[in-house]
Amino acid sequence: MSLIVGLPALLALLLIGLWAAAALDTAIGRLIVGRPVGMAATDPLRAVVADYLRQRTDTEAPDHLNWLLAPGYYFLLAVVGLALVPFAPDQSLIALDTSVVLWGAAEAVVVVAVFLHGWSPNAPFPLIGAYRYVAIGLPVMLLSMFVLIAASIPAQSLDLRAVVESQRGLWNVIRQPLGLPLFLAVVMSLTLRGPFDYADSADLAGGTSAEDGGPRWIAWQTARAAMLVAACAIAATAFLGGYLGPVLPGWLWLSLKTLAVMVAVVLLTHLVPRMPVARMLTLIWIVLLPIAFLDLLIAGLGAL
Amino acid sequence: MGMSWARAFAASGPPPVFAAIGAGGLQRAEELHGTLRLQRSPRQAAILLVLGEIAPDLLPFLQRLHDHLPHPRATIWHRATPPGDWTDPVQATADGLERTLTDLWRSILSGDRASEPDFLPDKPPNEWRGVGPHGQGGKGMMGGTPYGRPMAMTDDDLRDGLSLDAYSAPFGPFLPMLPPGLILDLTLQGDVIQSATATRPPCPQPGSDDRPGDAIARLMRVMDMPALALRRTRDGLPPAMGIAMLRRAIPDGLGRARDGTDVRDRLDRWRDKDAPQADDGTRLSDLLPGLEWHEAMIVLNSFQPDRIRAICARSGPEGGDEDDKDGNRDAPAHAPPDHGGHQHHDMTGPAA
């Protein structure tokens, strides 16, 4: 797959994904409130244009360079993730036989991008959000590692292309039923959402983005939505058979499955409360990580 | 109008609003959450909505908040009287609010109405008194008071003996997760609260105490369930499933007051629509020291407006000393002995 065709196609798909993410978030939020969905498809666009037209605010003595770059890092990591996703047999933009490892590395660097975003404004709430995110980020990355390794075991390969092919008989979501629910928690953490949003939460008036106004706000929210698209595409690939499916072309199957994961993540965002940090750390180390071991065990026994 | 298509498109959406709530504005704010696009930070708002009467001592804070909104911006006074020297104030009546908002949003985007200028000079509030080019202070990274703020210095730790830097700052009075009007003087280590005094109690909110649905909604919002917080079942409360999830996310024994109730108990009382509890002499020093930020916000939002006002009123800078003499800092006086809570939520006060 040549980059000249592939990269524009990927960015076009990402753009559609971004819009879908924003519209879904607005529409599902309104449905839960019990209000008419109305202009949920275009209201996010109006907000983006309005913010773009407004002043870019600064704080006292910020880290200008990193404040500017943090959304860029975050967005770039999302693009890397999306480029690893195969959209047809043996076709992905980055052809790498250790793509699961590269995605794991991208996940870890997300913690750095979010931290820099909270560090840069030189203000208390963003900084508290940044530190909290790092504290929760570590065990969440462990979760991700275990469930993705489990998903790779049937393929006997750390290549996402092989992981999809290994699901021709049976999808991983059935073979390893614990994997996808755990990975949804990882997706919510990577995209700063609902129960796993320790960086940009309401109790900190928006945390790392509390000081973002105008174009800064759009940049960060765009990167956040891009990461949602990428992480959901990875989830669809690792657990839902990626491009596999009858009749329709592979890329369409992949898009539909990605959208389905996105709906699940947005619903969880709105319906599940965020517990205090200490309680969440206990939940992850004492409950979720043992479940992830169990997932790995099921995958290993299945491979024997 | 002469608006470009981009400005016209942007103006056709709902305006981003930040609500500065004063006396008697809380109940109206709950109603408006359902219809307006209320933002969590003034940086993301174009219109400052002043909701309820602003006491004279809060005006300087309101002006500083006003200057945080990016241009173009405007202010609307709703159920509030603008001070005499406020230039060209826009006031909105109860049923005319939404119309006034959209008109104002359109006119500041098109430039028909000039953006409101800053009240305060855009420079540090205090003089530079640090040492060195980056305010690193006296020796190494320590000491100095750059721009009037003392550098954070290491201090004994309440929790794990890590002796992190302690950081003191005032928080409030218009933070959306705090009771409106409250100014908290906090000393933090990381996000763990070492000490808390209320330098100003919250504004009075008459009539808000008999609205348990609103109280549950505020708790839900702090724990990031903003959509469910707006939904009401026939009994006037958010959906029972949502309340059950909320209850499960709150640690047992968190925020125990002197009457022995914790956050979960108070949530249960709201759910069962029990009468508001009588004041029991609880102080902030009984509640907040040792808690992480998120827990502290949950605790502050677990009291009805009148009760948290009473708690804060006796937790001022003078009240704190008295408290020490009482010897009541360590544990709530009436806490049953068998409710220690989880180990990692052992929230006794500082060892005196």
Coordinates of all heavy atoms in Angstrom, one line a residue, chain A residues 13-14 16-18 20-21 24 81-82 85-87 171 180 183-184 187 225-244 250-266:
Chain A
L13 N -10.7 9.1 6.4 CA -11.5 8.3 7.3 C -11.5 8.8 8.7 O -12.5 8.8 9.4 CB -10.9 6.8 7.3 CG -11.6 5.9 6.3 CD1 -10.9 4.5 6.4 CD2 -13.0 5.7 6.5
L14 N -10.3 9.3 9.1 CA -10.2 9.9 10.5 C -11.1 11.1 10.6 O -11.8 11.2 11.7 CB -8.7 10.3 10.7 CG -8.4 10.9 12.1 CD1 -8.8 9.9 13.2 CD2 -6.9 11.2 12.2
I16 N -13.9 11.7 9.1 CA -15.3 11.2 9.2 C -15.5 10.6 10.6 O -16.5 10.8 11.3 CB -15.6 10.1 8.2 CG1 -15.5 10.7 6.8 CG2 -17.0 9.5 8.4 CD1 -15.6 9.7 5.6
G17 N -14.5 9.9 11.1 CA -14.5 9.3 12.5 C -14.6 10.4 13.5 O -15.4 10.3 14.5
L18 N -13.9 11.5 13.3 CA -13.9 12.6 14.3 C -15.3 13.2 14.4 O -15.9 13.4 15.5 CB -13.0 13.7 13.8 CG -11.5 13.5 14.1 CD1 -10.7 14.6 13.5 CD2 -11.2 13.4 15.5
A20 N -18.1 11.7 13.5 CA -19.0 10.7 14.1 C -18.9 10.7 15.6 O -19.9 10.6 16.3 CB -18.7 9.3 13.5
A21 N -17.6 10.8 16.1 CA -17.4 10.8 17.5 C -18.1 11.9 18.2 O -18.8 11.8 19.2 CB -15.9 10.8 17.8
L24 N -21.9 11.5 17.9 CA -22.4 10.4 18.8 C -22.5 10.9 20.3 O -23.4 10.7 21.0 CB -21.5 9.3 18.8 CG -21.8 8.1 17.8 CD1 -20.7 7.0 18.0 CD2 -23.1 7.5 18.2
G81 N -1.7 4.9 15.6 CA -2.6 3.7 15.9 C -3.5 3.3 14.8 O -3.6 2.2 14.4
L82 N -4.0 4.3 14.1 CA -4.9 4.1 13.0 C -4.2 3.5 11.8 O -4.7 2.6 11.1 CB -5.6 5.4 12.6 CG -7.0 5.3 12.1 CD1 -7.9 4.5 13.0 CD2 -7.6 6.7 11.9
V85 N -3.8 -0.3 11.8 CA -5.0 -1.2 11.7 C -5.1 -1.7 10.2 O -5.1 -0.9 9.3 CB -6.2 -0.3 12.0 CG1 -7.5 -1.1 11.7 CG2 -6.2 0.1 13.5
P86 N -5.1 -3.0 10.1 CA -5.3 -3.6 8.7 C -6.7 -3.4 8.2 O -7.7 -3.6 9.0 CB -5.0 -5.0 8.9 CG -5.2 -5.3 10.3 CD -5.0 -4.1 11.1
F87 N -6.9 -2.9 7.0 CA -8.3 -2.7 6.5 C -8.6 -3.7 5.4 O -9.7 -3.7 4.8 CB -8.4 -1.3 6.0 CG -7.3 -0.8 5.1 CD1 -7.4 -1.0 3.7 CD2 -6.2 -0.2 5.6 CE1 -6.4 -0.6 2.9 CE2 -5.2 0.2 4.8 CZ -5.3 0.0 3.4
W171 N -14.3 -15.1 16.4 CA -13.7 -13.8 16.8 C -13.2 -13.9 18.3 O -13.7 -14.7 19.1 CB -14.8 -12.7 16.8 CG -15.2 -12.3 15.4 CD1 -14.7 -12.7 14.3 CD2 -16.3 -11.3 15.1 NE1 -15.4 -12.1 13.2 CE2 -16.3 -11.3 13.7 CE3 -17.1 -10.5 15.9 CZ2 -17.2 -10.4 13.0 CZ3 -18.0 -9.7 15.2 CH2 -18.0 -9.6 13.8
L180 N -12.4 -7.8 25.5 CA -13.0 -6.6 25.1 C -13.5 -5.7 26.2 O -13.2 -4.5 26.2 CB -14.1 -6.9 24.0 CG -14.7 -5.6 23.4 CD1 -13.6 -4.8 22.7 CD2 -15.8 -6.0 22.4
F183 N -10.6 -4.0 27.6 CA -10.0 -3.1 26.7 C -10.8 -1.8 26.6 O -10.3 -0.7 26.4 CB -9.8 -3.7 25.3 CG -8.8 -2.9 24.4 CD1 -7.5 -2.8 24.7 CD2 -9.3 -2.1 23.4 CE1 -6.6 -2.1 23.9 CE2 -8.5 -1.3 22.6 CZ -7.1 -1.3 22.9
L184 N -12.1 -1.9 26.8 CA -13.0 -0.7 26.8 C -12.5 0.3 27.9 O -12.6 1.5 27.7 CB -14.4 -1.0 26.9 CG -15.1 -1.7 25.8 CD1 -16.6 -1.9 26.0 CD2 -14.9 -1.0 24.5
V187 N -9.6 2.0 26.6 CA -10.0 3.1 25.6 C -10.5 4.3 26.4 O -10.1 5.5 26.0 CB -11.1 2.6 24.7 CG1 -11.6 3.7 23.8 CG2 -10.6 1.4 23.9
A225 N -10.7 13.2 20.4 CA -11.6 12.4 19.5 C -10.9 11.5 18.6 O -11.3 10.4 18.3 CB -12.5 13.4 18.8
A226 N -9.7 12.0 18.0 CA -8.9 11.2 17.1 C -8.5 9.9 17.8 O -8.5 8.8 17.3 CB -7.8 12.0 16.6
M227 N -8.0 10.1 19.1 CA -7.6 8.9 19.9 C -8.8 7.9 20.1 O -8.6 6.7 20.1 CB -7.0 9.4 21.2 CG -6.4 8.3 22.0 SD -5.3 7.2 21.2 CE -3.8 8.2 21.1
L228 N -10.0 8.5 20.2 CA -11.2 7.6 20.4 C -11.3 6.8 19.1 O -11.6 5.5 19.2 CB -12.4 8.4 20.7 CG -13.7 7.7 20.8 CD1 -13.7 6.8 22.0 CD2 -14.9 8.6 20.8
V229 N -11.2 7.4 18.0 CA -11.4 6.7 16.7 C -10.3 5.6 16.6 O -10.6 4.4 16.3 CB -11.3 7.6 15.5 CG1 -11.3 6.9 14.2 CG2 -12.4 8.7 15.6
A230 N -9.0 5.9 16.9 CA -7.9 5.0 16.7 C -8.1 3.8 17.7 O -8.0 2.7 17.3 CB -6.6 5.7 17.0
A231 N -8.4 4.1 19.0 CA -8.5 3.1 20.0 C -9.6 2.1 19.7 O -9.5 0.9 19.9 CB -8.6 3.7 21.4
C232 N -10.8 2.7 19.2 CA -11.9 1.9 18.9 C -11.6 1.0 17.7 O -12.1 -0.2 17.6 CB -13.1 2.7 18.6 SG -13.8 3.5 20.1
A233 N -10.8 1.5 16.7 CA -10.5 0.7 15.5 C -9.5 -0.4 16.0 O -9.7 -1.6 15.5 CB -9.8 1.6 14.5
I234 N -8.6 -0.2 16.9 CA -7.8 -1.2 17.4 C -8.6 -2.3 18.1 O -8.4 -3.5 18.0 CB -6.7 -0.7 18.4 CG1 -5.7 0.3 17.7 CG2 -6.0 -1.8 19.1 CD1 -4.6 -0.4 17.0
A235 N -9.6 -1.8 18.9 CA -10.5 -2.8 19.6 C -11.2 -3.6 18.6 O -11.3 -4.9 18.8 CB -11.5 -2.0 20.5
A236 N -11.8 -3.0 17.6 CA -12.5 -3.8 16.5 C -11.6 -4.8 15.9 O -12.0 -5.9 15.5 CB -13.1 -2.8 15.5
T237 N -10.3 -4.4 15.7 CA -9.4 -5.3 15.0 C -9.0 -6.5 15.9 O -8.9 -7.6 15.5 CB -8.1 -4.5 14.6 OG1 -8.5 -3.4 13.8 CG2 -7.1 -5.3 13.9
A238 N -8.7 -6.2 17.2 CA -8.1 -7.2 18.1 C -9.2 -8.2 18.6 O -8.9 -9.3 18.9 CB -7.4 -6.6 19.2
F239 N -10.5 -7.7 18.7 CA -11.5 -8.5 19.3 C -12.7 -8.8 18.4 O -13.4 -9.8 18.6 CB -12.0 -7.8 20.6 CG -10.9 -7.6 21.6 CD1 -10.3 -6.4 21.7 CD2 -10.4 -8.7 22.3 CE1 -9.3 -6.2 22.6 CE2 -9.4 -8.5 23.2 CZ -8.8 -7.3 23.4
L240 N -13.0 -8.0 17.4 CA -14.2 -8.2 16.6 C -13.9 -8.6 15.2 O -14.7 -8.3 14.3 CB -15.0 -6.9 16.6 CG -15.6 -6.5 18.0 CD1 -16.3 -5.1 17.9 CD2 -16.5 -7.5 18.6
G241 N -12.7 -9.1 14.9 CA -12.4 -9.6 13.6 C -12.1 -8.5 12.5 O -12.1 -8.8 11.4
G242 N -11.9 -7.3 12.9 CA -11.5 -6.3 12.0 C -12.3 -6.2 10.7 O -13.5 -6.0 10.8
Y243 N -11.6 -6.4 9.6 CA -12.2 -6.2 8.3 C -13.0 -7.5 7.9 O -13.6 -7.5 6.8 CB -11.2 -5.9 7.2 CG -10.0 -6.9 7.2 CD1 -10.2 -8.2 6.6 CD2 -8.8 -6.6 7.8 CE1 -9.2 -9.1 6.7 CE2 -7.7 -7.5 7.8 CZ -7.9 -8.8 7.2 OH -6.9 -9.7 7.2
L244 N -13.0 -8.5 8.7 CA -13.7 -9.8 8.3 C -15.2 -9.6 8.3 O -15.7 -9.0 9.2 CB -13.3 -10.9 9.2 CG -11.8 -11.3 9.3 CD1 -11.6 -12.4 10.4 CD2 -11.3 -11.8 8.0
G250 N -14.2 -5.0 3.1 CA -13.5 -5.1 4.4 C -13.4 -3.8 5.2 O -13.7 -3.7 6.4
W251 N -13.1 -2.7 4.5 CA -12.9 -1.4 5.2 C -14.2 -0.9 5.8 O -14.3 -0.3 6.8 CB -12.3 -0.3 4.2 CG -13.2 0.0 3.1 CD1 -13.1 -0.5 1.8 CD2 -14.2 1.0 3.0 NE1 -14.1 0.0 1.0 CE2 -14.7 1.0 1.7 CE3 -14.7 1.9 4.0 CZ2 -15.8 1.8 1.3 CZ3 -15.8 2.7 3.6 CH2 -16.3 2.7 2.3
L252 N -15.4 -1.3 5.1 CA -16.7 -0.9 5.6 C -17.0 -1.7 6.9 O -17.5 -1.1 7.8 CB -17.7 -1.1 4.5 CG -19.1 -0.4 4.8 CD1 -18.9 1.1 5.0 CD2 -20.0 -0.7 3.6
W253 N -16.7 -3.0 6.8 CA -16.9 -3.8 8.0 C -16.1 -3.2 9.2 O -16.6 -3.1 10.3 CB -16.5 -5.3 7.8 CG -17.6 -6.1 7.3 CD1 -17.6 -6.7 6.0 CD2 -18.8 -6.4 7.9 NE1 -18.8 -7.4 5.9 CE2 -19.6 -7.3 7.0 CE3 -19.4 -6.1 9.1 CZ2 -20.8 -7.7 7.3 CZ3 -20.7 -6.6 9.4 CH2 -21.4 -7.4 8.5
L254 N -14.9 -2.9 8.9 CA -14.0 -2.3 9.9 C -14.6 -1.0 10.5 O -14.7 -0.8 11.7 CB -12.6 -2.1 9.4 CG -11.6 -1.4 10.3 CD1 -11.3 -2.3 11.5 CD2 -10.3 -1.0 9.6
S255 N -15.1 -0.2 9.6 CA -15.7 1.1 10.0 C -16.9 0.8 10.9 O -17.1 1.5 11.9 CB -16.1 1.9 8.8 OG -15.0 2.1 8.0
L256 N -17.8 -0.1 10.5 CA -19.0 -0.4 11.2 C -18.7 -0.9 12.6 O -19.3 -0.5 13.6 CB -19.9 -1.4 10.5 CG -20.5 -0.8 9.2 CD1 -21.3 -1.9 8.4 CD2 -21.5 0.3 9.5
K257 N -17.7 -1.8 12.7 CA -17.3 -2.4 14.0 C -16.7 -1.3 14.9 O -16.9 -1.3 16.1 CB -16.3 -3.5 13.8 CG -17.0 -4.8 13.2 CD -15.9 -5.8 12.8 CE -16.5 -6.9 12.0 NZ -15.5 -7.9 11.6
T258 N -15.9 -0.4 14.3 CA -15.3 0.7 15.0 C -16.4 1.6 15.6 O -16.3 1.9 16.8 CB -14.4 1.5 14.1 OG1 -13.4 0.7 13.6 CG2 -13.7 2.6 14.9
L259 N -17.4 1.8 14.8 CA -18.5 2.7 15.2 C -19.3 2.0 16.4 O -19.6 2.7 17.3 CB -19.5 2.9 14.0 CG -20.4 4.1 14.2 CD1 -19.7 5.4 14.2 CD2 -21.4 4.1 13.0
A260 N -19.4 0.7 16.3 CA -20.2 0.0 17.3 C -19.4 0.1 18.7 O -20.0 0.3 19.7 CB -20.3 -1.5 16.9
V261 N -18.1 -0.1 18.6 CA -17.3 0.1 19.8 C -17.4 1.5 20.4 O -17.5 1.7 21.6 CB -15.8 -0.3 19.6 CG1 -15.0 -0.1 20.8 CG2 -15.6 -1.7 19.1
M262 N -17.4 2.4 19.4 CA -17.5 3.8 19.8 C -18.8 4.1 20.6 O -18.8 4.8 21.6 CB -17.4 4.7 18.6 CG -16.4 5.8 18.7 SD -16.6 7.0 17.4 CE -15.6 6.5 16.1
V263 N -19.9 3.5 20.1 CA -21.2 3.7 20.8 C -21.1 3.2 22.2 O -21.6 3.8 23.2 CB -22.3 3.0 20.0 CG1 -23.6 3.0 20.8 CG2 -22.5 3.7 18.6
A264 N -20.5 2.0 22.3 CA -20.4 1.4 23.6 C -19.6 2.3 24.6 O -20.0 2.5 25.7 CB -19.7 0.0 23.5
V265 N -18.5 2.8 24.1 CA -17.6 3.7 24.9 C -18.3 4.9 25.3 O -18.3 5.3 26.5 CB -16.3 4.0 24.2 CG1 -15.5 5.0 24.9 CG2 -15.5 2.8 24.0
V266 N -19.1 5.5 24.4 CA -19.8 6.8 24.7 C -20.9 6.5 25.7 O -21.1 7.3 26.7 CB -20.3 7.4 23.4 CG1 -21.2 8.6 23.7 CG2 -19.2 7.9 22.5

